Amino acid sequence: MPTMTIAKAINAGLRAALEQDESVLLMGEDIGTLGGVYRVTEGLKSDFGPDRVVDSPLAESGIIGTSIGLSLRGYRPVAEIQFDGFVFPGFNQITTQLAKMHARSNGQLTVPVTIRIPYGGGIGSVEHHSESPEALFAHTAGLRIVTPSNAHDAYWMTQQAIACADPVIVFEPKRRYWLKGEVDTEDPGASADPFRAHVVREGTDATVVAWGPLVPVALAAAEASAEDGRSVEVIDLRSISPIDFDAIIASVTKTGRLIVAHEAPTFGGMGGEIASRVGEAAFLSLEAPVIRVGGFHMPYPVAKVEEHYLPDIDRILEALDRAFAY
Amino acid sequence: MGVELPTTEFSDIPDELAMELEAHAHDGAEGHGAMVQLLDEDGRFRRDSKLAESIKGLSEDSLQGMYRQMAMIRRFDTEATALQRQGQLALWVPLRGQEAAQIGSGAATQAQDYVFPTYREHGVALTRGVDLAELLRLFRGLSNGGWDPRATGFHLYTLVLAAQTPHAVGYAMGMQRDQARAAARGEEAGDPGAVVAYFGDGASSEGDVHESMVFAASFKAPVVFFCQNNQWAISVPAEVQSRIPLFNRAKGYGFPGVRVDGNDVLAVYAVTQWALERARAGKGPVLIEAYTYRQGAHTTADDPTKYRLSDEEQSWLAKDPLARFEKHLRAEGIADEAFFEQVAADGDALATKARADILEFTAPVLADAFANVYAEPHPLVEQELAWHRDYEAGFADAAAEATREGGR
Ligand SMILES: Cc1ncc(C[n+]2csc(CCOP(=O)(O)OP(=O)(O)O)c2C)c(N)n1
């Protein structure tokens, strides 16, 4: 099995999709000759040509909007948004147009557009380069949202998103782009369904749900907890819309405690959605309230203090302590 | 390796014909600047016009057909406005005054073309064979579309201003690729198509129009931007949207812009046909500004007396597109009294049908709305639908129970 970085796995996934389906094409700023600012699309323009790997004008609404038009004509565009904080000029196209086209046409039209967005902090960057806007999109019906946390998922999710008849946003954890992992390019295995959560560590006393960049953090916290004699289960959510509530509820029913950890601010975030659902479905299994660990209600802070903003192992351990104190 | 798509050669922009069009344009009477016209305000044909040639190919039947469509859609529009007043429609967006711009441009499209409308393009819808009853269903609050966009080549209405313009460019880029790919395979591609993107003078200020024009120019997409400058964006005059004549903006993007008298159906037809042919031939986009006037309210919720003078309205009534074309058809002996009487009668029949259609409409049930949120199965939607069904069924039980008890 080949080992590759997440960035390389996405590149390989895009390559496979371009090879398998002539209607697939990539669009974005700097994705062609440069290969993307993160080099995720490196080599694709030279191999597939400028009409399939399109260096677009610098215009996010234009990128999403023309992708919608291309999809209406039978193409499967994959739009790259260069950074999370720059998706907002295209927000209108995503939420009012892309998300609703299928419903508005009573199912006559499908718009299989994939939008790739490098997201999250931890890279020491300047403002608007470290956002986690997943909840803003998850709130909009008609979109699907996935986020890989490892190379194998990155390879398969990229292709699954492109093959999906619905619009899919793939949030790529940019600070993990260089994280290496084994990729089975023959068989997706448990990753065959991109919308299912994975239990990535079994445990009996508490559950931590995380996604994308925070999965390794949650795993490390679980390891550290084991030293205190606590058995912590970790779920990699993988899909933010839809959410695999069955997997979460099954775990909580077993462990009785739930921590949801994400980089986005907790207020109005996906953690609240998960907590509320679990409260409704597994109230009597809970030994403690569901606790959220996330960003603060502030603009993403400057890089020199981001380590105090981003949930780390200690913040998850503190939450576990609180949960065990009930 | 990829296929060959047209490259952008700036040397051919504006091309010869575009310059011809600009050079040829007549001065508008009110200092509106150069404007292509074939019928003056009294319906007299401008034989001196070079464009006169391009409509020579139109048979008397086609000319009659265009008039007929203009008259039919005006009658339908009047009826729909009345239906809204009677509470049968939630809202109506009248097109009165813009019949020439819409029928002229729509008639210039071919079956393989694709149209992205805004929300007032009822006349274009008619030329594309859309069942007008579907427009009534939309404004009655029963659907968001209803016609088949692929069969008619007429996309859904768009209520977020200008949002459809990048879709139009993307669709045109798709058409471009279809042609290039077929050629690369040595296959017959079918006649090349082009896209028309409709938008208003107000919408022209939206960033999406700008981005669309940049994309269209960069990729030489076969798209015709058709701006109906009806002088008002609800209550805001066109001068607030643009300090220069709108068509002039095209130059800044690197493709031709033409202002056409939007109340002159023949000029609109000729200019749109030229632009579409140019686009289909791979020469890239054109911006057409159809200079026209919305004679009525913005929508049935609007009161134009609050923001514009009746003098202005009167002066534009004198340029009425239907009256002008009627004069022309009569003067040239293309249509006689019997024809106009027949059209009037057919219009009344269409209005009667609209009234009858509304009574036939059935309301959808909310449960159906769950079906198309996603194209593929989605657990949350399934779960919420199941809950909704149960909840509604609870009322059915109660109702049934009540009936039973009442009967006892
Ligand atoms: C993005 C957006 N902003 C505001 C509105 C509300 N609105 C609807 S129509 C309209 C005026 C549009 O004027 P114009 O583009 O000239 O088109 P017209 O209605 O005159 O055909 C406005 C402001 C809207 N529909 N979409």
Side-chain angles (χ1 to χ4, degrees), chain B residues 119-120 159-161 200-203 206 230 232-234 298:
Chain B
Y119 44 65
R120 201 190 296 281
L159 287 166
V160 180
L161 289 169
D201 44 297
E206 290 278 359
N230 65 6
W232 294 93
I234 308 188
H298 168 70

Side-chain angles (χ1 to χ4, degrees), chain A residues 173-258:
Chain A
K174 65 169 100 78
R175 70 163 142 146
R176 309 285 178 208
Y177 268 150
W178 302 278
L179 187 73
K180 282 191 177 167
E182 284 193 337
V183 177
D184 187 340
T185 54
E186 302 293 312
D187 180 10
S191 299
D193 183 346
F195 306 111
R196 285 257 163 270
H198 284 171
V199 175
V200 289
R201 187 184 200 278
E202 305 248 0
T204 52
D205 304 336
T207 304
V208 178
V209 172
W211 52 88
L214 281 194
V215 172
V217 181
L219 282 169
E223 290 290 324
S225 247
E227 288 163 24
D228 300 336
R230 288 172 182 164
S231 166
V232 176
E233 182 146 305
V234 177
I235 294 180
D236 178 353
L237 193 65
R238 301 176 76 245
S239 174
I240 292 165
S241 180
I243 286 179
D244 184 355
F245 287 114
D246 291 347
I248 300 171
I249 288 158
S251 176
V252 170
T253 308
K254 180 173 67 171
T255 64
R257 293 177 188 85
L258 177 63

Side-chain angles (χ1 to χ4, degrees), chain A residues 22-23 25 27 46-49 51-52 54-57 59-63 65-66 68-70 72-73 75 92-93 96-97 101-110 140-144 163-166 241-242 277, chain B residues 1-3 5 112 114 116 143-150 155-160 162-164 166-167 169-171 173-175 177-178 181 185 208 211 214-215 218-219 372-380 383-384:
Chain A
E22 223 205 349
S23 66
L25 59 99
M27 284 254 274
S46 54
D47 290 350
F48 293 94
D51 60 305
R52 299 201 60 200
V54 184
D55 269 322
S56 73
E60 287 74 16
S61 189
I63 292 171
T66 51
I68 293 171
L70 278 156
L72 290 169
R73 185 68 190 180
Y75 287 81
N92 171 39
Q93 284 293 338
T96 75
Q97 305 300 307
M101 196 71 81
H102 186 69
R104 292 178 64 239
S105 70
N106 290 322
Q108 285 166 324
L109 305 173
T110 50
T140 303
L143 302 173
R144 292 173 185 266
C164 185
D166 290 309
S241 180
R277 292 274 167 162
Chain B
M1 218 19 226
V3 291
L5 288 173
Q112 77 275 19
Y114 198 88
F116 284 88
S143 84
N144 293 316
W147 58 91
D148 184 341
R150 285 158 309 186
H155 196 65
L156 304 175
Y157 272 7
T158 308
L159 287 166
V160 180
Q164 77 282 9
H167 308 171
V169 176
Y171 196 95
M173 289 167 68
M175 286 177 153
R177 282 170 167 69
D178 290 351
R181 246 154 237 201
R185 287 198 206 92
D208 270 353
E211 297 193 18
V214 171
F215 273 69
S218 296
F219 298 116
N372 297 310
V373 183
Y374 292 89
E376 294 187 10
H378 190 287
L380 180 60
Q383 199 190 334
E384 290 187 355

